[in-house]
Amino acid sequence: MATTQETQKTETTSTPESETATLDVFRYIPEEDDEPHTETYEVETFEGMTVLDALIKIRDEQDPSLTVRHSCRMARCGSDAVYINGTQRLACNTQVGELKQPVQVEPLPRFDVIRDLVVEMNEFYDRMESVEPWFQPDHEPETGEEYLQTPENRRNIDTVLDCIWCGACTSSCSPAASDSDFPGPAALAKAYRFYKDEREGEETRRRRLEMLENSHGIYRCHTQFNCTEVCPKDISPTEAIMEMSRDAIKEKLRFWR
């Protein structure tokens, strides 16, 4: 018969069973697969594990062929945006323990898949470029001149400054999927960022608004707020687009100009 001391020693040295998570991951390797398919993986979890942690663990320990795009792992680069349990999210900013299992991980919808969870972003970048996302002041600065901005104006555009170009909002946008000439919510939020910046001057602001004021621009937005719901940085592109639309209408009503 075991003594009390032996029993206590056995209980102390025994290790509890580790918890696991189940991930159903979208797989597609063009050189090997005729059609996309799903593969299921069991991953040993740890406290604070993110979906990106789990995917890297799968790649490093179970299946080196799995491809996922990532960089900073701090929700700043936007490169690891994927579709998790039916919602656009950053894999590095989504806790596995907070998700219903099995965790469904897929590439961003409405983007062409290059391989597995990696999508083609060139069209998205072209849309961002189409709104001319850079400063265009009305005049060249003189020597020593600064373009000053008031704190109030800065606060007005603070809400859209944190865009990380992840593509989550554009992936959720119905008009962006059906109209290739529509810049999409990310690009229009970026346009708003410069349109509302007082350092550019009235002529530039008016030209920006005229450039976006068409059936493929700000009026194409359906105001569904899908983009707002999925933005990992809490930006509301819909509100920015609506404000530019209101300004455009007001400009049309200014018959006294």
Side-chain angles (χ1 to χ4, degrees), residues 18-20 44-50 53 94-98:
S18 59
E19 296 184 1
T20 62
E44 185 177 323
T45 62
F46 54 81
E47 185 177 357
M49 173 180 266
T50 66
D53 289 330
T94 304
Q95 296 285 309
V96 171
E98 297 176 358

Side-chain angles (χ1 to χ4, degrees), residues 14 16 27 73 112 132 140 153 193 195 201 211 242 245:
S14 62
R27 298 301 310 273
R73 301 176 70 169
D112 292 333
E132 301 178 5
E140 292 295 324
N153 183 247
R193 176 260 178 276
Y195 165 70
M211 179 177 67
M242 290 171 63
S245 297

Side-chain angles (χ1 to χ4, degrees), residues 30-226:
E31 301 81 14
E32 302 176 8
D33 301 325
D34 294 329
E35 296 290 339
H37 62 282
T38 299
E39 292 190 19
T40 300
Y41 303 93
E42 292 288 333
V43 182
E44 185 177 323
T45 62
F46 54 81
E47 185 177 357
M49 173 180 266
T50 66
V51 172
L52 181 59
D53 289 330
L55 293 171
I56 292 174
K57 191 175 181 67
I58 292 169
R59 183 194 64 193
D60 292 349
E61 300 178 5
Q62 299 183 40
D63 190 346
S65 69
L66 177 63
T67 305
V68 56
R69 179 185 284 140
H70 62 90
S71 182
C72 75
R73 301 176 70 169
M74 298 175 61
R76 295 304 303 172
C77 70
S79 61
D80 64 333
V82 288
Y83 201 54
I84 303 173
N85 284 1
T87 302
Q88 288 84 354
R89 299 170 180 257
L90 295 182
C92 69
N93 202 32
T94 304
Q95 296 285 309
V96 171
E98 297 176 358
L99 299 172
K100 179 181 178 181
Q101 293 194 33
V103 181
Q104 308 284 336
V105 187
E106 304 167 90
L108 287 179
R110 298 168 177 158
F111 283 76
D112 292 333
V113 176
I114 297 176
R115 173 171 169 147
D116 293 340
L117 302 174
V118 176
V119 296
E120 175 59 71
M121 297 292 289
N122 284 340
E123 182 180 348
F124 172 77
Y125 296 142
D126 288 342
R127 293 184 187 216
M128 297 294 286
E129 195 79 7
S130 71
V131 300
E132 301 178 5
W134 54 82
F135 278 115
Q136 299 178 56
D138 287 341
H139 66 278
E140 292 295 324
E142 298 178 5
T143 302
E145 182 183 6
E146 296 179 284
Y147 291 118
L148 300 179
Q149 182 182 34
T150 63
E152 292 77 17
N153 183 247
R154 170 59 190 246
R155 283 193 291 270
N156 287 339
I157 62 175
D158 266 348
T159 55
V160 295
L161 286 178
D162 288 337
C163 176
I164 55 176
W165 294 42
C166 67
C169 64
T170 300
S171 170
S172 73
C173 178
S174 299
S178 59
D179 185 352
S180 59
D181 293 324
F182 178 57
L188 290 176
K190 182 63 69 175
Y192 175 89
R193 176 260 178 276
F194 289 99
Y195 165 70
K196 282 296 184 178
D197 195 308
E198 64 187 356
R199 292 171 292 182
E200 285 207 316
E202 282 301 316
E203 288 302 318
T204 304
R205 293 180 69 250
R206 187 175 294 112
R207 187 185 66 80
R208 283 191 183 279
L209 196 60
E210 290 175 352
M211 179 177 67
L212 301 171
E213 185 190 9
N214 57 70
S215 59
H216 296 287
I218 52 179
Y219 299 136
R220 190 74 173 87
C221 174
H222 291 177
T223 63
Q224 295 172 317
F225 285 88
N226 290 347

Side-chain angles (χ1 to χ4, degrees), residues 7-15:
T7 302
Q8 291 176 343
K9 182 178 181 180
T10 302
E11 291 176 347
T12 303
T13 56
S14 62
T15 56

